[in-house]
Amino acid sequence: MPDHNRVYILGVPIDPVTFDNLIDTIADWIASGDRTRQICTASPEFVMIAQENADFMRVLREADLCVADGVGLLFAARYLGHKLPERVTGSDGLPLIAARAAREGWKLFLLGAAPGVAEQAAAKLVHNNAGLQIVGTYAGSPSPDEETAIIERVNASGADILFVAYGAPNQDTWIARNRATLNVSAAVGVGGAFDFTAGIIPRAPRWMRRFALEWLYRLYKQPWRWRRMLRLPRFVWNVVWHRHNEIKKSEG
Ligand code: UDP
């Protein structure tokens, strides 16, 4: 991983992995322990930010894994003639990775979100997974002046996996900038996953997730998101336009 089956959506690579593949890959990385790998939990919003932010595009392209967190990526992939096996969200991934971590003895560090939220998320995860080792929680900020102190804190904890919840693109550019000095096997940008795990923001009901309407629920709960969500129709338009151009090119 990543392999040649990566799907490119408007230049952003998406790996066709399931949760099981993802967690087995993390297990391999921890076993080899040679360097810090980066995982991005991509969504249509990531793809649209990357169209205007070359640094973020480079980070996504150089990450070890980009998983399809947003359902829009699954639709877009299918529309462009590719297949992604399932939606792999940071919010579902965090508890699944925690469950495996408790069995394997992997140590986790939760960085980011508002003060106190990472602690609450950690308490929930430990409550649900006996023996889980969360070796650090810290809100901090993605500001460059805090970087050195945060890296020292994470490295001193002996964590195997670092989850970073600063939202995109900051969490992902933060990980990319600090990869070389971090001593963890995997660093994952997880957006609002601590807020969901801590129970501060409710997750959309299962039926809404099944009908690909999680975005609508988030808009209802957090209406200030409307401006950010304008990226969604722009994403659809860009994907349609891209396919139109590809077809025209192939017709020669
Ligand atoms: N956040 C933070 N520091 C910042 C900006 C954001 O800790 O400077 C946190 C915020 O509290 C939230 C997470 O980053 O927990 C981002 O959540 P958001 O819902 O925006 O991410 P998404 O899931 O939409 O990518």
Side-chain angles (χ1 to χ4, degrees), residues 45-46 112-114 139-142 165-168 170-171 190-193 195 218 222 224-225 228:
E45 214 181 328
F46 278 52
S141 90
Y166 288 142
N170 289 338
Q171 62 194 15
V190 287
D195 299 316
R218 287 196 90 176
Q222 298 174 299
W224 50 265
R225 283 182 178 270
R228 279 173 53 172

Side-chain angles (χ1 to χ4, degrees), residues 64-100:
D64 296 276
L65 270 183
C66 284
V67 299
D69 184 306
V71 72
L73 296 181
L74 272 76
F75 288 135
R78 199 180 318 153
Y79 179 74
L80 297 172
H82 308 285
K83 195 164 158 46
L84 293 170
E86 67 180 342
R87 191 171 167 217
V88 179
T89 63
S91 311
D92 295 311
L94 176 61
L96 289 172
I97 294 169
R100 177 83 176 261

Side-chain angles (χ1 to χ4, degrees), residues 156-188:
S157 76
D160 298 298
I161 309 175
L162 170 66
F163 294 93
V164 186
Y166 288 142
N170 289 338
Q171 62 194 15
D172 308 284
T173 50
W174 189 95
I175 293 171
R177 265 202 316 275
N178 296 302
R179 250 216 273 197
T181 44
L182 278 168
N183 285 334
V184 297
S185 294
V188 195

